[in-house]
Amino acid sequence: MSPRTLFHTTPIYYVNDVPHAGHAYCTIACDALARARRLRGDDVFFLTGTDEHGQNIERIAREKGVREQDYCDEISGIFRELWGSLNIEYDGYIRTTDDIHKRGVLKLWERLRVAKAPDGQDAVYRGKYAGWYCPRCEAFKTEDEMKQPGNICPDHERPCEWTEEENFFFRLSAYQNVLEDLIRSDRMKIAPESRKNEVLAVVKQGLQDFSISRARVKWGIPIPDDPSHVFYVWVDALSNYITALGYADDSPGFEKFWGADAERMHVIGKEIIRFHCLYWPGMLIAAGLLPPSRVFAHGWMTKDGKKLSKSTGNIIDPKILADQYGVDAVRYYFLRETPFGQDWDFSEAGLAQRFNSDLANDFGNLVSRSLTMIAKYCDGRIPARVLEPADNRLASEGIFASYDALNFSAALTEIWASVSAANQWIVQTAPWNLAKDQGRAADLNAFLYRLGERVRVLALLASPVIPASAQKVLDMLGIPKDAEARRSVAYGLLPEGQPLGPIEPLFPRIELKKALSPEEKPHTVSEHAPPTTSLPAPPGTVIAKPQSVDEGPKQPPPTTTD
C-alpha cells in the first residue's frame, strides 16, 4: 500500500498543575498510533503541547508569587520531561506562549474578523454575555449543565459565578447546517459512533453563538481591535493545531499536513468534544480553511469510579507507576485493558496481573525459550533462512487496521493470540527431541529460523506499545541497527548467520504482594482486577517459567498466577 500523509494530535494540556495518568493515557495512545503508522510506512506528524493562558494561570501564578511565564515554563517542562520518560516520540510540541503560535492566532483572527457567515452577516460581532461562569473551566455553564442547588460546576464541584461582560462573539448558529452536513457525511468522521450521535444531538438542539474574547482576563493574547480583550482560552488553544505547523508563515509543513490530501485528526477526551467538533471546524470554515477530517474521543480513565482530575485531587502519578513496573508495562496495561473509546477504572492489581500473565509468562517466555534454543542448537547464530509457507505467516494487515482505528486492545489481543500460538508450536514441535536425532538437523534448523523470524515480527508488531522491549528483542536477535529487519514486518528479513546478542530476561516476574499499593494489598487479584482478555494458554504450553531445552515439559504447568 502507498504511504499516507497523516497528522494527529493530542489536546494541548492545561498547565494549571502537573500531569496525571489521564494525560499519559491519551499521549501514550497517540504515540502508539504514530509508531504503528511509521512502521507501516506512512508519513506521520504527531503533535502535542501545552495550553498556557487564561484566568486560572493568572490566579495560580499570583498565589505562588511568580510571573505567569515562569510558572508556565516550569509546568510545561514537567510535561516534556514526563513524555521523555514514557518514551513518547512526538514530531512537534507547541506552547500557546510560543511566538509562532501567537502570530498564527493573529493571522486566523484577521480572517475571522472580515468573514461573512452563510446567512450574510459578519461571522464575528460584539455582544453582551450574561451567564453562569466556572473560572476553573473558563467556560459558561447552562442551567442544565450545573448541579443544583448552588449552581455547581459538575467537573470541579465548585459554585459558578454570575458574569456579565461585553465580548466578541463567533456566529456559530449560522453554521448549523454546514456543520451538520460535515458530520453526517463523515467528511469529518467522529468516533466512536456514540460520540458522533452525541454531537448531532447538540446540533439538533440548535447551535448558539459563543464568546471568543474575555475582558476580565489579562494573561492571554490581546485582540488587536481592542487590546482590553484577550482571546478566549478555547479559541487560543484550538488554534495550536495549525499554528504548530507554521500556519502564520504558510510553511510547507502546514500545506502538507493540513492539506486536502492529509488526514487531519484530533484525539481528545470525550468532555471536550463539543469544542473540537463544533467550535473549531466552524471557525476554520469561516476562515476559509479545511476542517479536521477525523476526531476520536476516548473514554475516561477513572480511579475508584471517579474521573481523574487535578482539581479534585483524584489522580494517579504515571511516573511512580513507570518507576515501579517499567515504562512498557504501563503503556501495555493502559492500551490493552479496555477499548480506547470506553471509560475504565484503573487497578494496580490489574496492572500487576497483566505484567505477570501477558508480558512475563507469554511474551517474555516465548522470547527466552526461542533465543535460548537458537543459542544452544545453532552455536549462537541465526540458522540458514528457511521461510514458512505464505499461508502460515503472521498477517499484519488486521493488526495495522486495528491500530489505525485506535482499537489498541484488539491489535494487542491479535498479537498475543499469535504469541500463544508460537508457544504452543514449540511444545508441539518439541525441538529438544529433534536435536537428539542427527538425521533431522535440517528440520531443527528450519524450525528455529522460522521461530526466530516469528519472534522478530511479533516484536515489531508490538513495538508501537512496548517500544523499548521490542528493541531489546531485536538486539538479542543480533539484528544490526541499520538493518531493514528492524523496521519492516516483511517476512524473511531475519539475517541468517548473524550472531545473537546477549540474552537477558525481558519481563522478570514480580511478586504481587510487593507490587500492590497499601489499599489493594488485602485483596486477591481475582477480587480486585478486571478479568483478563488474553487468550487461554493452549494445552501443554509452558507459561510459568522456561523449560529446559533438553526435554519437553513433563506435565502441563498451572495456568494461574500467584
Side-chain angles (χ1 to χ4, degrees):
M1 297 178 67
S2 58
R4 301 169 298 171
T5 302
L6 304 170
F7 174 67
H8 70 269
T9 76
T10 69
I12 53 172
Y13 302 114
Y14 203 30
V15 294
N16 59 328
D17 207 339
V18 297
H20 60 58
H23 303 114
Y25 180 47
C26 181
T27 309
I28 288 169
C30 285
D31 182 69
L33 176 63
R35 289 174 182 273
R37 289 172 155 186
R38 293 184 195 118
L39 181 62
R40 185 189 173 279
D42 293 322
D43 195 354
V44 177
F45 194 107
F46 161 34
L47 175 69
T48 189
T50 45
D51 175 8
E52 303 182 12
H53 288 138
Q55 188 174 11
N56 278 332
I57 306 307
E58 284 182 357
R59 173 183 57 80
I60 295 169
R62 183 173 60 249
E63 291 172 354
K64 291 179 175 291
V66 299
R67 295 171 59 248
E68 290 94 343
Q69 187 64 61
D70 291 341
Y71 171 75
C72 292
D73 290 346
E74 176 188 358
I75 302 301
S76 186
I78 293 172
F79 271 91
R80 295 188 79 156
E81 183 180 355
L82 178 62
W83 299 156
S85 68
L86 294 178
N87 210 352
I88 305 297
E89 291 187 347
Y90 48 77
D91 299 290
Y93 187 97
I94 186 69
R95 300 175 59 185
T96 57
T97 54
D98 288 341
D99 179 67
I100 191 174
H101 175 73
K102 294 176 183 178
R103 291 190 292 109
V105 170
L106 294 177
K107 181 177 179 179
L108 181 63
W109 167 251
E110 289 303 315
R111 288 201 175 194
L112 290 174
R113 63 188 290 274
V114 298
K116 295 295 183 181
D119 62 3
Q121 299 186 79
D122 291 342
V124 172
Y125 65 93
R126 280 183 179 267
K128 188 173 183 179
Y129 198 99
W132 294 102
Y133 182 76
C134 173
R136 301 282 175 144
C137 291
E138 301 194 32
F140 286 94
K141 301 292 182 180
T142 66
E143 296 284 349
D144 292 338
E145 290 175 315
M146 295 183 295
K147 293 182 179 179
Q148 301 297 346
N151 301 310
I152 304 299
C153 170
D155 295 323
H156 295 102
E157 301 293 339
R158 293 171 180 265
C160 295
E161 305 169 356
W162 182 260
T163 300
E164 297 183 19
E165 65 179 38
E166 184 181 84
N167 294 322
F168 288 93
F169 282 77
F170 179 74
R171 201 179 301 276
L172 186 67
S173 58
Y175 291 86
Q176 175 152 336
N177 292 338
V178 174
L179 291 170
E180 182 174 7
D181 179 67
L182 180 71
I183 295 165
R184 289 193 183 279
S185 67
D186 281 341
R187 287 183 289 117
M188 181 176 71
K189 185 174 180 59
I190 302 173
E193 188 74 14
S194 59
R195 303 297 171 215
K196 175 181 177 180
N197 294 334
E198 179 184 327
V199 175
L200 287 172
V202 173
V203 174
K204 186 176 181 180
Q205 293 173 2
L207 297 182
Q208 303 296 314
D209 300 350
F210 65 94
S211 169
I212 59 173
S213 73
R214 289 289 182 269
R216 61 164 56 194
V217 181
K218 304 304 177 188
W219 180 242
I221 302 173
I223 295 183
D225 303 63
D226 186 347
S228 67
H229 286 244
V230 300
F231 289 103
Y232 175 42
V233 66
W234 274 112
V235 176
D236 178 3
L238 289 166
S239 301
N240 90 89
Y241 302 128
I242 58 174
T243 64
L245 293 172
Y247 167 67
D249 305 314
D250 294 322
S251 74
F254 172 71
E255 297 296 331
K256 177 180 182 179
F257 287 105
W258 202 264
D261 294 333
E263 180 184 83
R264 307 170 302 279
M265 178 182 183
H266 303 313
V267 181
I268 59 171
K270 64 179 183 179
E271 73 278 10
I272 53 176
I273 193 170
R274 177 180 52 166
F275 302 108
H276 285 78
C277 295
L278 297 174
Y279 290 16
W280 176 228
M283 290 189 293
L284 287 169
I285 292 169
L289 299 172
L290 292 169
S293 59
R294 188 176 171 194
V295 178
F296 190 100
H298 65 77
W300 289 341
M301 177 192 294
T302 60
K303 179 185 176 186
D304 301 325
K306 297 179 181 178
K307 179 191 173 188
L308 298 182
S309 169
K310 295 176 288 191
S311 301
T312 61
N314 189 43
I315 60 173
I316 300 165
D317 189 328
K319 182 67 165 59
I320 292 176
L321 283 179
D323 288 345
Q324 183 169 359
Y325 293 95
V327 171
D328 280 0
V330 172
R331 291 172 61 106
Y332 179 84
Y333 174 67
F334 279 10
L335 299 185
R336 174 68 190 266
E337 194 67 6
T338 304
F340 188 57
Q342 299 178 9
D343 293 350
W344 66 288
D345 203 56
F346 171 84
S347 161
E348 191 171 353
L351 170 55
Q353 184 186 40
R354 284 286 184 195
F355 186 103
N356 281 342
S357 175
D358 296 12
L359 297 175
N361 286 350
D362 293 345
F363 188 60
N365 191 30
L366 172 64
V367 171
S368 175
R369 301 170 77 195
S370 301
L371 298 184
T372 299
M373 287 189 291
I374 292 174
K376 181 166 185 176
Y377 298 135
C378 303
D379 296 324
R381 293 179 178 272
I382 301 298
R385 182 181 288 107
V386 181
L387 299 184
E388 290 186 71
D391 56 356
N392 286 348
R393 300 174 190 175
L394 296 178
S396 61
E397 292 82 2
I399 293 169
F400 281 122
S402 292
Y403 275 134
D404 210 55
L406 285 83
N407 194 349
F408 304 104
S409 60
L412 293 170
T413 296
E414 187 170 348
I415 293 168
W416 254 253
S418 294
V419 168
S420 295
N423 273 317
Q424 185 178 23
W425 188 34
I426 293 172
V427 174
Q428 292 172 340
T429 305
W432 43 86
N433 290 332
L434 295 180
K436 298 174 183 178
D437 186 348
Q438 292 294 327
R440 302 200 64 186
D443 293 338
L444 176 62
N445 286 346
F447 170 77
L448 291 177
Y449 181 86
R450 291 167 174 172
L451 181 62
E453 179 66 342
R454 280 202 187 188
V455 168
R456 181 189 73 85
V457 174
L458 285 169
L460 282 174
L461 290 173
S463 66
V465 178
I466 53 171
S469 301
Q471 290 305 309
K472 288 181 182 178
V473 173
L474 300 179
D475 289 342
M476 287 189 275
L477 284 167
I479 301 173
K481 296 294 185 184
D482 60 348
E484 186 182 0
R486 295 187 82 98
R487 57 182 185 273
S488 172
V489 297
Y491 249 79
L493 297 180
L494 185 63
E496 59 184 357
Q498 185 70 29
L500 295 179
I503 301 173
E504 302 174 354
L506 199 58
F507 294 102
R509 282 178 57 89
I510 55 177
E511 288 187 47
L512 296 186
K513 289 182 180 179
K514 290 182 180 179
L516 303 186
S517 57
E519 65 270 20
E520 297 193 55
K521 285 183 179 179
H523 302 284
T524 65
V525 170
S526 60
E527 289 172 334
H528 196 82
T532 178
T533 57
S534 59
L535 297 178
T541 297
V542 179
I543 70 166
K545 62 176 67 175
Q547 293 287 328
S548 164
V549 296
D550 293 318
E551 300 179 5
K554 304 300 184 184
Q555 59 184 12
T559 59
T560 57
T561 57
D562 296 337

